Amino acid sequence: MSEHLIISGATKAERYATLLPQIEAVLEGETDDVARMANVAACLWETFRFWWVGFYRVIDDELVLGPFQGPLACMRIRRGRGVCGTAWAEERTIIVPDVEQFPGHIACSSASRSEIVVPIFKDGKVTAVLDIDSEHLATFDEVDQLWLERLCAMLP
Ligand code: SME
């Protein structure tokens, strides 16, 4: 494995298109969910320098903080709470252009302004969510959704 990811291409879609096969290669042969999530968080952070990028795993009836890159975050989230808990309950990707406009948003960091949460499924059930926060408004759109859903289909 190379020491650093080399990501070429000017547009966001091009960067995702280059990144995904690299992540696939990184994950090859590793079966441990936490190890896989840890390197996915690192790859996303290294490529896009998101404010916070990481995973929450479904354990019993809560989301529990998993591997991430960024400032410290809340450790447990109930089903239906915040953006992460809503994405879990509704089993769909949620894009929040302005976190102040999302009722019940859980502010782990006051610097976070926009967010995307993508559920990860196994045997038709949500087993984890990928959460990405930005310090800028309206960072995420359908391009992020498309590529991050493809990425999450490779997990856990
Ligand atoms: N903002 C999230 C909580 C997780 S932190 O942003 C890392 C939410 O509302 O679910």
Side-chain angles (χ1 to χ4, degrees), residues 52 56 73 77 82-84 105-106 108 115 131 133:
W52 196 95
Y56 284 88
I77 298 173
V83 187
C84 292
H105 169 258
I106 301 164
C108 292
E115 180 163 353
D131 178 15
D133 293 5

Side-chain angles (χ1 to χ4, degrees), residues 71-83:
L72 110 154
C74 61
M75 289 192 277
R76 286 175 187 265
I77 298 173
R78 296 229 186 102
R79 196 164 190 272
R81 294 289 175 87
V83 187

